[in-house]
Amino acid sequence: MWLPKYLNRLAFVQLLLLHLLWLNPAAAKKDKPDISSHKLDNAPSNFFYFDDSNTILLHDREGGHVHRSEDAGKTWDKVDIEDGEASDLWRHPHDNQKAYIMGKGSTHWHTNDQGKTWQDFEIPNARPSLFRAPFAFHAKDSDKVLIHGATCRIAGFVDCKEVTFYTNNGFESVAKLRENTRGCIFAHATPEFRTGDNDKNDDRIICVTTGRISFDRREHRLAVSNNFFKDEEEPNLDGGRTVQGIINIAVVKGYIVAAAKAPNTDELAMYVTDDASTWHRAVFPSDSRLKEDAYTVLESTSYSIEVDVMTVDPPNPMGVLFTSNSNGTYFTKNIEHTNRNAHGIVDFEKVQNIQGIVLVNTVDNWEDVEQSFGREEKRLKTQISFDDGRTFQDLTMDKKNLHLHSVSEMNNVGRVFSSTSPGLVMGVGNTGKNLKQYEEGDLYVSSDAGLTWALALEEAHKYEFGDQGSILVAINDEEPTDVIQYSLNYGKDWDQVDLPEGKIRAKALTTTPDSTSMKFFLWGVKGGGSRAQHWVFSIDFEDMHENKCTDKDFEEWVARVDKDDKPICIMGRNQFYKRRKPEADCFIREKFEEIEPDFKPCPCTKEDFECDYNFVRNADGDCVRDGPLPDPEGLCKGNAKKYKASSGFRKIPGNGCEGGAKLDEEIERDCEDTLKPIVSGEINSERTAFPGQSFTGYFYLERTESSSSSDKAGKDETVLMRTDESKVYITRDHGKTWDEILKGKKIKDIYPHPHFNDVCYFITTSKEVHYTINRGDTFSSFKAESEPTRDHNLQALAFHVDYRDWLIWTGAVDCDDDGNCRNDAWYSTDRGSHWQDLRHVVRKCEFIKEEGRGERKKLVYCEQFKDEKLGGPLELQASDNWFADYTTPFKNIVDFATMSEFIIVATKDQTDGDSLKVDASIDGQTFADALFPSNFKVPIQKAYTVLDSHTHAVFMHVTVGNQLDAEYGSIIKSNSNGTSYVLSLDKVNRNTPGYVDFEKMLGLEGVALVNVVSNTEEAEKGSGKKLRTMITHNDGAEWSLIRAPQNDPDGKSYDCDTDKIAACSLHLHGYTERRDPRDVYSSPSAVGLMMAVGNVGEYLTTKSEKTSDTFITRDGGIEWQAVKKGNYMWEYGDQGSIIVIVRDTVATNEIFYSLDEGREWIPYQFSKKKVHVAILSTVPSDNSLNFLLWGREDDSDSEIVTFNLDFSQLKERSEQCKLDENEPDNDDSDYYLWAPQHPSQPNKCLFGHIAQYHRKKPDKNCFNGRSIQHLHSIARNCECTRSDFECDYNYEPAKDGSCVLVGGQQPPDHSQVCKEDPEKMSYFLPTGYRRVPLSTCEGGNELERYESKEVPCRGHEKDFEEAHRGLSGFWIFILGVVLPVSIASAVGYWVWQNWHGKFGSIRLGESGSPFDADRPWIRYPVAAVAGIVAVLAAVPLLLGSLWRWGSGMFGGGRRYTTRGSFARGRGDYAVVDEDELLGEDEDEEV
């Protein structure tokens, strides 16, 4: 029965009086607390109070039980759920009646009455997620809960998909919310958060989801829904644009924070909203960056966000603390050198219930720690702020500095220093210069919120506050003890009481969350090892004092005072509390009644205001304009010159100041302030000359989408360049101005870091190495253990994909007079400051860690000569502990290639030493033989070229004909783990070094071009090759000649009949003829556009001014247009809104540019003198309005020149294009939706779906600006057709297009699953088909499903008949066909599909390409004889890497061995994480 509190108190007094009549008066008053004990079966894994109650739930994970106490731990009962099934226990953070138990199986439980009763629930066909917390809660309606789960096709979290579910009726029902999520939250996740429209957005949910096609983390995005994802939209986060690469979201008080990461950087961008509708990018000072796993959002306020950003990496990390303005968009630095641990926990805590008081620990010897890369032991000191972090001061006790252990080393549960008890703060620490070890500390107490301190107890203690601070309890935390101590006068005096069970080692001491209770809960351990006993104790002070405090026992206490004891104003108010006097002999006894402060307004000062939108603070603290002011909506029309507008200041929302300064009053401003910068309308050209004969390399250090958005970084376009005189230059403005760097240093090579754009290394011929980690702002150096390797096929440095400072150095050792050396390898985890031996006598060593390859971050492969003898067989050795021990997966290898999705190893065949074989792995741990098509016959396999692996399948070129200058081979395509191959196309051209005329279109899935040798027999007899260009629009499933345009660039018809494609088609010069490997056909930021040089006819002719033209396509290669006579180089700018071309091989002083995708070309003279242009370049992302020409003027032999071409002043590119993601096709939009298609499919279905891409309307005069997420949506999935499938391994297309078993071959034996799993009931026979990996088709002709036949495992026939009666075709597929080898084999797909997998097995099946049986390259078997070159090479698919790399070669040079080495200035390929050129190469000019 519910009664008002005053009636409850009256009844209590009456009962007490009756009690005293019967008992001896001396026995009525106790002088010590009551203590009761209870023994547990196992250590508790979790326990908590329900708010405003004495009810505790305790979870015993080992026993699978949950225990409940209603009297603060005095008595306990086991809750009524299935015995032993409790796996986890969760409390609802906003409803003190609700909690949740996650079961070990499919059944889970919830309570609505603090655990008295429990009701079960299930997550439909799913289990709780392992990757994130299972629940996300609604702060206003506790019946609404989100559940993060996973649906797995196979038991044990194998082949799983993350799915979020929801309940809106308190688990009466659970429904699916959305698939492919990576965490979801309610906008109303905290009581402080307010959406823009509470009624409309009350159910707003925000999820991180996978990309529309890819599971790659770089494509994760936000999705928002107001109706439980019946509909959804992607919010605009930055300047009206959506953002990809979202890695996390969180709700912090009244803010929602999202973090995004772009490729090739560890820097993050933070986006903030305070209404769940309008987002802004958070701006940090220009010298500060957010890094992945290196920032912590701290306990914040309702008017600002606190963020600590790591500045020094582990093992001894430290950071800098920032505080935001009221909408979370602008951050200012508060205090530097904050202490944090390796888990991101920062020594930062606000004093609870008092505004503005913060305790932090900072690193006193921060300079030593920084210079030692975190190896120097930190010396900590404690500081406190009383003004919300604006200023900090030391803690003191008796004029000595006091230092306290804080959050980074928690020694108890709950908050570290304070509670709701006003002004009372406690901590363990020591006086002196710095903080000592915890065991050397004592317990200190402050009763004035940290201003002054006193020694409470010697030695370290756990401690807790009760009865609003009138009771302090402590227990020794250094050794076992049999007493607790308590103080009733704010820690001045202490009494003790014995524990009933003897000595225990205290593990936790706590009480109710509001610290108003007089009961405490203690957990301790008695004994140790296998005899350890776990005890819990209830410590009850309620019967000690009769007196209840009255008004005379209280005082008014000022929460914050300065050094002169004057009240400090925070948020425009002074804060006062009514609290018990320290000497008062009474208890407050207001259980679950928190003390509320009183506020008095202060006069307004500058601190009560922040900068308005479009204003920023200057050094004097004034708010000044940051760019043009908003349009005053008609106030500046006509002859108006002035208007009233913001002063630049605005009062901080929630600030309570009154009177005083009125900085937010509008002021009179000039109308000119609203005008946009005047553009000249002209292209600007800047010439710079350098001494030398040639450029030997250039390198773009491009800022990414998540790079700092300060003015300096926003305009930064950094390029590094090296000349043939070994001089190095830098420009920060894309070549307008250059400065020489590292003067006097003979730089041999330049290695940009392949995974972090800001980092670049400069290699000398000695042990000295120079580097920059901030795109050339500053430079440092280290000494390696040896000079760099002299093997020009190798690079001296290898890099880690995640850890910027992890390096492997390959150096030359024991060199003789002829320059012959051996190579040894060392590793460093601190950017070269310290080196450790890795392996001796190696060819190379590499880090193997890539996204999706598990958690073995230290995994390294080394190619070591057997027994450390040069010239012997090469062994592939693997280790994940720096070779403390290692395995040898392969004894005799040729080389290995590490790619984005696969690792390919070429070894010498043990049965035929003259032939090679291929093994593949997706996790770097488990390898499987690559099975080539049974109809693909090459007697001796001598050469492979690994082409691409970005579409979840390996494209590999296997050399068939290897005669000098007549090389060619076949392209085969793998399944999803690179182990089973089908033939895609034969007679594909390659050159002597092993490079292949194969190139995929960037930014558009499935389009690739190749050149094939049409006269292989004649070519092998000495005739020249006759090449023809072919294109695929479905990832190698079908290839065709390219239909030629009707007219040449002059509008004249070609000499041949373009309707007869077999004799008159378009042929393009490919990769094997390129001077610069970065001259690719396409750009990932200009979707659908390709340019190329070639000719129309039966065959490809020699590349010359007379026979070649320059062509463009705007629809992904279906239709082409001839745009210029002769050979031109090209570059795309502003994501394709500007295309620049310049003559190749002919001196010129003129470029042409197009603003409408190549329909019209406008000439521009950039120089009076003619220039031999060697390279035309721009930023790798093709997102700049600046271009660079590199070359030599016609009349100069001693100088080389660059010309910067700046298009930013063109009037046609002065306005920002407008993109509305939610209505991309509206009339006001500057964009339209474009859908690529297969030329033979009229319904625009490609790979089982219709994809829609944003394309700028060619006639719109505007610029794209920041990168557009071109893929707008998958409009719909299509029904499956034959083109969505290919033939499975050992199957081939018949004449009717069906897949039939190859003669003499056997289908895979799927019964193996029964042998590996004796409990397995059945398996499925192969159908002969497997889905193309890119296809997302649904329904229709699902060949891999409904044609499958299910077969019982031997011994399970009867079980099979009973259990599987009536199964649908879908479940037949799920349970059988997807398991072609074993249960464990499915793990590989999960590793690929999820950004960090946990398993290592390889899964076979489900990939490849379909093709018709009557294709000539299917009908006729390959019969050519393999040649003599043994090389496993890689080809120029600059997908992703062209966004990163910027190296180049001009004039003479040397051969280079990896695609990454070109990017580092050494010369061949420019891919960052894709294939490598493996094996032997010969020197040649580049």
Side-chain angles (χ1 to χ4, degrees), residues 681-693:
E682 297 179 353
I683 303 169
N684 293 322
S685 175
E686 293 285 346
R687 173 188 178 275
T688 308
F690 307 88
Q693 297 294 315

Side-chain angles (χ1 to χ4, degrees), residues 354-357 384-387 391 393 448-452 556-570 574-576:
I354 300 177
Q355 281 186 328
I357 302 181
I384 190 169
S385 172
F386 294 94
D387 55 8
T391 60
Q393 65 189 55
D448 53 11
L451 185 63
T452 61
E556 184 181 70
W557 176 75
V558 182
R560 299 172 307 275
V561 295
D562 60 18
K563 60 183 179 180
D564 298 322
D565 289 334
K566 294 182 179 179
I568 294 176
C569 295
I570 294 292
N574 285 320
Q575 193 173 5
F576 299 85

Side-chain angles (χ1 to χ4, degrees), residues 133 211 263 529 557 617 711 808 828 855 1073 1097 1112 1225 1275 1360 1378 1386 1473:
W557 176 75
R617 291 227 186 233
D711 282 346
I808 295 176
S828 172
E855 294 299 305
E1073 299 182 66
I1112 191 170
D1225 268 339
F1360 168 78
V1378 175
D1473 65 345

Side-chain angles (χ1 to χ4, degrees), residues 791-817:
D791 187 341
H792 69 269
N793 289 327
L794 299 174
Q795 59 188 41
L797 280 176
F799 304 92
H800 197 283
V801 67
D802 292 329
Y803 295 92
R804 182 189 65 181
D805 297 332
W806 287 20
L807 304 171
I808 295 176
W809 177 265
T810 303
V813 178
D814 294 340
C815 301
D816 59 26
D817 294 338

Side-chain angles (χ1 to χ4, degrees), residues 1245-1250 1276-1279 1284 1335-1338:
C1245 285
L1246 187 61
F1247 298 113
H1249 55 258
I1250 297 176
R1276 63 179 177 86
N1277 284 333
C1278 305
E1279 289 190 347
D1284 293 298
S1335 178
T1336 61
C1337 69
E1338 298 175 339

